[in-house]
Amino acid sequence: MTEQPNVVSHLIAEGNDVDRLVADLDESRWSTPTPAPGWTVAHQIAHLSAVFRMAALAAADPQKFTAFASRLGPDFNANVDAALAPFLAQPPGQLLQSWRAERGRAEAAVGALPPDQLVPWLVRPLPARVLAAAGMMELFGHGQDIADALGVRRDYTDRVRVLVEFAVRVWDFGYIARGLTAPDVEFGFELTAPSGAVWTFGPPDAAQRITGPAVDFCLLVTRRRHRGDLALAATGADAEQWLDIAQAYRGPAGAGRAAGQFTVSQR
């Protein structure tokens, strides 16, 4: 992930994959429950629409975004519900068009910026390329919920490297979400891409290590699969604990998914 255009092109491609999951759905299927408790397919698309609306505003008009963020309350879930509400009020066909419009504006706004230009965000400013990577994380996680709800098996590509690099960058989010102190160590990661390539991050001689398939790693850090259902291995006590709490997003961890909730074929 050295140049932003690659990240934005991956963001667009990932968004297209999510779009294909819902483009031809009958209206009734938008109310299909997803693995996220209380959330239907419509909730998932409404959430993505709200996130991409914020990203477009942050990239295109930082002052307006900062003013918007200053009005958010301390209740994370209340903020999420408020952001979803105007989209959930729309019938499925209109929601689909809103999702496409919000995506398009965000992709254009983020893509127009230099990769390292700081963009205001909810916790702290991010380089534009990292904001795009955060969008990839949202698409991967919520797209997985939609695929699981509809019984669709996804075809993963090496685009997941963008999410892997983002998750390695924010490796301490799981500790922050639980009020824990992150260990003063550097983790090593050795992950196998869908193509078979091996991606490594961190010190090559790190005592604390995570190894396994990159897709499993992405499913773990988005909390869309329980670690017990994934082929990830830890070396070292800190790495072992990390597999239990890993997440690539700020805010409450949530219950995640239960062990055995999905079969290996549903990865």
Side-chain angles (χ1 to χ4, degrees):
M1 192 174 64
T2 58
E3 296 186 11
Q4 186 200 4
N6 293 333
V7 181
V8 174
S9 68
H10 289 341
L11 182 72
I12 293 169
E14 193 76 10
N16 288 339
D17 279 357
V18 173
D19 190 283
R20 281 189 284 272
L21 290 172
V22 297
D24 299 319
L25 283 185
D26 292 338
E27 187 166 320
S28 62
R29 298 200 74 192
W30 283 77
S31 60
T32 302
T34 68
W39 278 33
T40 64
V41 170
H43 282 81
Q44 301 287 349
I45 293 297
H47 176 76
L48 289 171
S49 300
V51 169
F52 276 72
R53 173 178 285 183
M54 288 191 296
L57 182 62
D61 196 331
Q63 288 186 330
K64 282 188 178 180
F65 177 84
T66 300
F68 157 79
S70 70
R71 295 192 295 270
L72 295 176
D75 188 325
F76 179 88
N77 291 326
N79 291 333
V80 170
D81 290 342
L84 264 62
F87 294 105
L88 285 176
Q90 300 173 356
Q94 185 179 350
L95 175 55
L96 179 61
Q97 294 308 311
S98 293
W99 144 244
R100 289 170 172 170
E102 301 298 349
R103 265 187 65 210
R105 281 189 283 268
E107 291 160 358
V110 177
L113 299 176
D116 292 323
Q117 180 167 323
L118 289 179
V119 178
W121 198 234
L122 297 173
V123 177
R124 59 178 178 265
L126 300 174
R129 61 184 172 79
V130 178
L131 180 59
M136 282 283 291
M137 182 270 296
E138 294 282 351
L139 287 167
F140 183 96
H142 294 285
Q144 188 65 50
D145 285 338
I146 294 170
D148 289 336
L150 300 176
V152 175
R153 183 169 182 177
R154 304 177 79 186
D155 292 322
Y156 303 103
T157 73
D158 281 13
R159 289 197 307 266
V160 300
R161 183 179 178 113
V162 175
L163 173 49
V164 169
E165 291 181 337
F166 180 75
V168 169
R169 180 188 183 100
V170 299
W171 71 279
D172 59 340
F173 276 9
Y175 299 98
I176 295 170
R178 294 162 179 81
L180 301 174
T181 300
D184 186 18
V185 297
E186 287 191 79
F187 284 22
F189 300 87
E190 184 176 313
L191 304 168
T192 304
S195 66
V198 177
W199 300 332
T200 59
F201 307 91
D205 59 349
Q208 306 294 323
R209 304 191 61 78
I210 305 291
T211 60
V215 169
D216 284 19
F217 183 82
C218 293
L219 290 166
L220 179 83
V221 298
T222 55
R223 295 181 62 76
R224 264 51 187 191
R225 292 293 186 271
H226 189 276
R227 64 165 292 188
D229 295 329
L230 301 171
L232 295 170
T235 300
D238 291 325
E240 184 70 32
Q241 181 197 28
W242 189 85
L243 286 182
D244 287 328
I245 65 172
Q247 65 182 72
Y249 54 90
R250 291 294 292 264
R257 305 293 176 259
Q261 185 173 349
F262 299 94
T263 65
V264 172
S265 64
Q266 291 174 300
R267 280 217 299 269

